[in-house]
Amino acid sequence: MATVEQQAPTADIAVENPATGAVIAHVPDMPPERIAEMARRGRAAQPAWEALGFDGRARVLRRAQKWLMDNADRVIETIVSETGKAWEDAHGAELAYGAQAFGFWAKHAPEYLADERVKSASIFVAGKRLVLRYRPLGLVGVIGPWNYPLTNSFGDCIPALAAGNSVILKPSEITPLTSLLLADGLRACGLPDDVFQVATGRGATGEALIDEVDMIMFTGSSATGRKVMARAAETLTPVALELGGKDPMIVLSDADLERAANAAVYYSMLNTGQTCISIERVYVEAPVYDDFVARVTEKARALRHGPPAGPGSVDVGAMTHGPQVDIVERHVEDARARGARIVVGGHREQRPGQWFEPTVLVDVNHDMAIMREETFGPTLPIMRVADADEAVRLANDSPYGLGASVFSGDAARGDAIARRLESGSVCVNDALISYYALELPMGGAKASGMGYRHGPGGIRKFTQHQALLVSRIHLKRDVYMYPYRSRTSRLLQRGMRLLYGRGRRD
């Protein structure tokens, strides 16, 4: 990749392929002064980008959409090489999302950010024009995670750009290559210089970015999210946070067990379980528990697990980050020691790269870390419950509330159970795929974050809400202005009684 090769002489971060352990590139660990210079350039470039208007910016985004499709193989190869995920995971959960997002925000930015006429019941503004306007904040900083370098890292930059902001993206130092490739792509599509910049580096680079921007969007762990929020508070920089999850799946006794089992295996192992809204724990009503476990066990044992080698080669790839493998191993061993039974997998693999077997656990309970803490790996713990009420109680027994799912043969019953779950999004007879509905807000409850992706809120968060009042027809002096007079004040008081003094008296 040309961008990486040009930067290699000053680089000090080695990027590894986690499926092989081989170093595939080097990128710079940018110091704070470099970030300050990037911020200066980004601010200087932003007014001209904003001045292009929605149509001008949309043309660039649509060209980027076509570029992404024209360079699909190159993009997928880059994602797979730095994440170790299966080819289909890179294609379906990354490339497809990016292609949709470019077109979606090009189309919907003018709708979501259009001036809004506002009506008011206040007599003081009668006859005046009231408008709510959304103006770009200026310079947006995005700090992305390592699990989805296109979807959850670069993906947040698309609506920020569509709103008229300049953007500096700080990708994870574990997976920076996709962001650099996409920066090349945007330049090829006519994006003006310095409107989008990539700041590679470790934690200190991210801290410097927070200090320099007008808004920060962060995706990552809840622990790091708290640090980001604290740093941003020093400069009163607004933040949006998409943090951890421990997504529950509830399987009711009337569910289609074949569909539920397929969904449980797929949505727990997708991207090797390294998805914030992966299924991380399952609660199954007792009458169908054994049947459900048998189906899941058979399907999980059939998974092909190994280094990706193109389409159809494997189902589950490598894990991306070594320390995350340590967490998965700790959770599995803790569960084993506390009485859980491992029916599939359960071991760290001793081969080059970062590997843990797809793992299914039964006889689990909430004394185990694997049912309480975010595991973020290829594990599926399944717990027997007496009824739906116990399932809901246990599903809500978590500091997290990002996503959840309910499986029932009665869609109305599933809907009713879904509404009882303390989660930012819930799917009935599905899981996770609500993320692809960009019209639908996606955000977390409790410790899973603040703010939203997607929908109107997913782009309005990158803007300043500006209230406009325009007085077109008016007197030289309004009656309530100086000088105050007793008679006028009494008349105004009587008017207030007529307007607001006739409330219901029960």
Side-chain angles (χ1 to χ4, degrees):
M1 187 182 306
T3 303
V4 177
E5 291 171 358
Q6 290 166 2
Q7 293 172 339
T10 59
D12 62 0
I13 298 177
V15 181
E16 294 185 3
N17 182 333
T20 65
V23 174
I24 56 176
H26 292 82
V27 297
D29 187 6
M30 294 185 180
E33 56 269 23
R34 179 84 176 271
I35 304 306
E37 173 58 22
M38 293 174 73
R40 185 195 64 75
R41 296 200 310 269
R43 290 188 190 282
Q46 186 271 330
W49 174 242
E50 179 184 356
L52 286 177
F54 292 116
D55 289 344
R57 296 193 292 273
R59 282 192 289 273
V60 175
L61 296 182
R62 290 195 177 96
R63 285 198 293 268
Q65 184 181 46
K66 183 178 185 302
W67 180 93
L68 195 62
M69 291 296 93
D70 290 344
N71 292 271
D73 290 342
R74 184 182 174 197
V75 172
I76 291 173
E77 180 184 354
T78 302
I79 294 171
V80 170
S81 71
E82 66 177 347
T83 64
K85 65 180 65 179
W87 187 96
E88 285 78 7
D89 291 348
H91 180 270
E94 299 249 42
L95 185 81
Y97 177 90
Q100 180 188 8
F102 276 123
F104 178 86
W105 293 115
K107 176 181 177 181
H108 289 282
E111 170 193 346
Y112 291 157
L113 300 183
D115 287 359
E116 298 178 15
R117 292 292 298 271
V118 178
K119 294 181 179 180
S120 174
S122 173
I123 193 172
F124 292 100
V125 297
K128 304 179 189 299
R129 182 163 61 94
L130 309 178
V131 177
L132 173 59
R133 178 195 173 208
Y134 301 96
R135 58 181 298 181
L137 286 166
L139 180 63
V140 169
V142 175
I143 300 178
W146 45 259
N147 58 328
Y148 283 99
L150 196 162
T151 299
N152 280 356
S153 190
F154 179 80
D156 286 318
C157 303
I158 302 174
L161 290 168
N165 297 286
S166 287
V167 177
I168 299 176
L169 168 61
K170 190 274 180 199
S172 169
E173 64 272 25
I174 308 302
T175 55
L177 306 183
T178 302
S179 298
L180 292 167
L181 174 59
L182 291 168
D184 289 345
L186 285 177
R187 280 191 292 272
C189 294
L191 186 75
D193 290 345
D194 300 323
V195 170
F196 176 74
Q197 301 173 84
V198 177
T200 57
R202 299 185 174 89
T205 304
E207 292 176 357
L209 182 63
I210 295 169
D211 295 341
E212 295 290 345
V213 296
D214 300 310
M215 185 267 184
I216 196 77
M217 172 69 208
F218 171 80
T219 301
S221 71
S222 297
T224 305
R226 292 185 180 95
K227 296 177 181 178
V228 169
M229 194 168 182
R231 181 82 178 208
E234 296 177 9
T235 51
L236 295 180
T237 300
V239 299
L241 307 171
E242 199 259 78
L243 307 177
K246 190 68 181 175
D247 289 14
M249 174 184 182
I250 294 175
V251 182
L252 303 177
S253 56
D254 63 352
D256 179 338
L257 293 187
E258 184 64 14
R259 177 169 180 79
N262 280 319
V265 173
Y266 180 72
Y267 290 115
S268 64
M269 303 299 168
L270 174 69
N271 200 43
T272 323
Q274 300 165 122
T275 304
C276 296
I277 47 178
S278 290
I279 293 173
E280 288 229 351
R281 50 197 171 113
V282 185
Y283 304 97
V284 185
E285 284 192 303
V288 298
Y289 177 83
D290 290 337
D291 190 354
F292 177 81
V293 168
R295 292 170 188 259
V296 166
T297 300
E298 180 183 7
K299 296 176 190 304
R301 284 176 177 163
L303 291 172
R304 296 167 300 162
H305 180 223
S313 57
V314 297
D315 300 311
V316 180
M319 294 192 67
T320 302
H321 190 31
Q324 196 63 43
V325 186
D326 297 338
I327 293 172
V328 175
E329 185 175 42
R330 175 173 65 81
H331 283 189
V332 171
E333 291 308 313
D334 170 80
R336 197 195 309 266
R338 294 175 183 273
R341 188 161 51 94
I342 313 297
V343 295
V344 180
H347 300 96
R348 187 175 196 149
E349 296 182 70
Q350 301 303 315
R351 57 166 139 170
Q354 310 298 338
W355 297 93
F356 201 93
E357 295 176 320
T359 299
V360 178
L361 308 93
V362 297
D363 299 335
V364 295
N365 59 58
H366 275 223
D367 291 334
M368 302 172 184
I370 203 164
M371 296 295 283
R372 299 191 319 271
E373 302 174 19
E374 184 175 34
T375 306
F376 218 62
T379 60
L380 186 63
I382 308 172
M383 182 174 179
R384 185 196 308 262
V385 294
D387 52 30
D389 288 340
E390 184 182 16
V392 170
R393 177 179 62 79
L394 291 169
N396 288 336
D397 181 22
S398 172
Y400 298 108
L402 196 56
S405 58
V406 180
F407 283 75
S408 172
D410 183 342
R413 184 188 181 205
D415 184 291
I417 296 294
R419 292 168 186 265
R420 295 170 59 189
L421 297 178
E422 298 166 355
S423 177
S425 64
V426 187
C427 295
V428 177
N429 294 323
D430 269 304
L432 191 150
I433 60 169
S434 57
Y435 194 94
Y436 289 91
L438 302 189
E439 298 82 358
L440 195 63
M442 186 271 174
K446 299 190 279 191
S448 287
M450 55 189 297
Y452 294 91
R453 279 196 178 100
H454 307 160
I459 191 168
R460 289 176 181 170
K461 69 185 179 187
F462 297 119
T463 66
Q464 173 69 52
H465 296 198
Q466 185 180 51
L468 299 175
L469 182 149
V470 180
S471 182
R472 294 172 296 177
I473 302 173
H474 43 259
L475 302 171
K476 297 292 186 183
R477 182 180 71 85
D478 292 324
V479 294
Y480 51 79
M481 291 181 177
Y482 296 135
Y484 292 148
R485 293 188 176 90
S486 175
R487 182 172 180 275
T488 302
S489 297
R490 292 297 184 186
L491 285 172
L492 289 172
Q493 186 180 30
R494 291 191 193 105
M496 293 281 282
R497 287 200 188 100
L498 287 172
L499 284 171
Y500 308 121
R502 297 182 179 183
R504 285 185 54 185
R505 295 181 181 179
D506 297 325

